[in-house]
Amino acid sequence: MSAENAGRLLLGFPDYSESAQKLARAAGLDFAEIQVHRFPDGESLVRLPERLPEHVFICRSLNQPNEKLVELVLAASTSRKLGATKVALVAPYLGYMRQDMAFCPGEAVSQQIVGNLLANLFDALITVDPHLHRVHRIEDAVPAPFALALTATDAMSDYLGDKLQNPMLLGPDEESQQWVSAIAQQNRLEFHVASKLRFGDSDVTVSLPDADYRGRHIVLVDDVISTGRTIESAIAALKPHQPGSITVMATHALFAGDALARLKNAGADDIWSTDSISHSTNRIGLAAVLAPAISGLWGS
Ligand code: R5P
């Protein structure tokens, strides 16, 4: 740890400890793990180091977010009691961003409510490719004094590199255009964007645009894989065109239920994800993406 980082510490939770430690190393910060005890009734006890420096970065990805949010409330409040004057949340995956409006009367607008909760708890938020749709700016979703949304597309482009011969990138829906085009442009690759109709959580149809897919190495790019149905449907649409191979590249590997098995069964030859969520498909580390943002915060 360098002298200018003496008043700064990165805290991680056991569920994301390995990536949090990599991040601490990349940012030149000391690391400590927050201890979590789950009582038999489901309540959580969190324990932080006894004394904290002025600036504390709590790193936790908010997949499976319900218990994690309560534990973040406990950890952020306790950080201040233990001496931190500024507390940041580094959430490589930020949950609850998709429900940005009430689709039916009476529904909670989760993005706004969870965003306000985090903004009240933390002085800063750093995240990666949050799923923002109708609300476009992270600071509108999480109105903390400082909120920054980084992108994983450079790291994904670098990882893709020349692994495949003249690949063709394909986004499964309109929203994916931003990521697929960024990766394609960096590597000067052909890309296309499909259209998607979603009828329910697990009911998705993807229609491909006209292109010559035969024999090509296709890389399907999306921000989130949750049920896997979007990518599964895209693979099903591609198969009759006899592509040379199908690789899936995603930022946030939620992989709910049997999603991973479904994609393998559908014919995905390879699946690569970033480590925004710890998962067996992780190939692309985000420490180098996140570390400069941490280093630049609060004038280290
Ligand atoms: C939606 O717009 C997102 O970009 C993803 O395509 C979607 O969240 C993937 O969900 P699933 O894996 O459940 O189809």
Side-chain angles (χ1 to χ4, degrees):
M1 186 187 53
S2 58
E4 71 265 24
N5 278 335
R8 297 151 71 88
L9 177 69
L10 193 136
L11 295 173
F13 282 84
D15 52 83
Y16 196 65
S17 194
E18 201 185 315
S19 294
Q21 287 184 54
K22 282 186 192 159
L23 177 56
R25 276 197 296 278
L29 298 184
D30 277 343
F31 173 83
E33 193 170 276
I34 295 174
Q35 307 296 313
V36 179
H37 174 71
R38 294 257 159 79
F39 290 108
D41 61 2
E43 291 183 4
S44 299
L45 171 71
V46 305
R47 187 177 301 127
L48 281 65
E50 274 175 53
R51 246 171 273 122
L52 292 177
E54 260 187 289
H55 297 168
V56 165
F57 298 83
I58 298 180
C59 178
R60 188 170 223 193
S61 247
L62 288 174
N63 55 309
Q64 306 278 339
N66 294 355
E67 284 176 352
K68 291 180 181 175
L69 281 170
V70 173
E71 289 165 5
L72 279 182
V73 173
L74 302 176
S77 309
T78 308
S79 294
R80 296 188 197 280
K81 286 221 159 77
L82 295 171
T85 55
K86 291 207 188 289
V87 185
L89 172 64
V90 182
Y93 175 69
L94 186 61
Y96 276 120
M97 286 296 107
R98 283 182 281 182
Q99 179 81 12
D100 58 5
M101 61 176 279
F103 296 91
C104 298
E107 277 181 0
V109 182
S110 315
Q111 183 194 80
Q112 207 174 72
I113 297 165
V114 173
N116 281 324
L117 170 75
L118 296 176
N120 289 330
L121 281 175
F122 293 98
D123 300 288
L125 164 79
I126 299 172
T127 189
V128 179
D129 290 323
H131 192 93
L132 298 177
H133 184 35
R134 281 156 287 261
V135 174
H136 300 287
R137 301 179 329 151
I138 188 65
E139 56 269 41
D140 294 332
V142 183
F146 178 86
L148 177 65
L150 299 162
T151 181
T153 52
D154 283 356
M156 292 162 96
S157 306
D158 291 347
Y159 185 80
L160 174 60
D162 51 11
K163 283 193 175 55
L164 298 167
Q165 202 194 344
N166 188 27
M168 178 198 284
L169 306 194
L170 180 65
D173 56 23
E174 224 176 88
E175 282 175 335
S176 66
Q177 164 125 19
Q178 55 194 298
W179 301 291
V180 77
S181 62
I183 296 169
Q185 271 158 26
Q186 187 167 321
N187 293 15
R188 295 209 175 88
L189 298 171
E190 177 181 353
F191 77 94
H192 298 276
V193 176
S195 52
K196 174 168 93 176
L197 286 175
R198 176 155 230 139
F199 305 100
D201 287 345
S202 299
D203 190 0
V204 175
T205 305
V206 170
S207 311
L208 299 182
D210 283 340
D212 190 3
Y213 301 102
R214 193 183 172 84
R216 295 294 301 270
H217 297 293
I218 310 292
V219 182
L220 279 162
V221 177
D222 208 355
D223 62 333
V224 175
I225 295 180
S226 178
T227 65
R229 303 301 167 109
T230 298
I231 296 296
E232 188 184 9
S233 173
I235 294 174
L238 277 168
K239 278 286 171 183
H241 295 269
Q242 301 181 319
S245 67
I246 300 175
T247 300
V248 177
M249 184 154 64
T251 313
H252 305 300
L254 286 170
F255 285 102
D258 61 354
L260 183 58
R262 295 184 77 95
L263 297 197
K264 287 181 177 167
N265 288 341
D269 295 291
D270 237 328
I271 303 173
W272 306 330
S273 64
T274 79
D275 66 353
S276 73
I277 295 169
S278 303
H279 191 263
S280 61
T281 57
N282 288 172
R283 300 289 180 275
I284 305 155
L286 292 180
V289 175
L290 291 160
I294 290 178
S295 300
L297 194 56
W298 305 322
S300 67

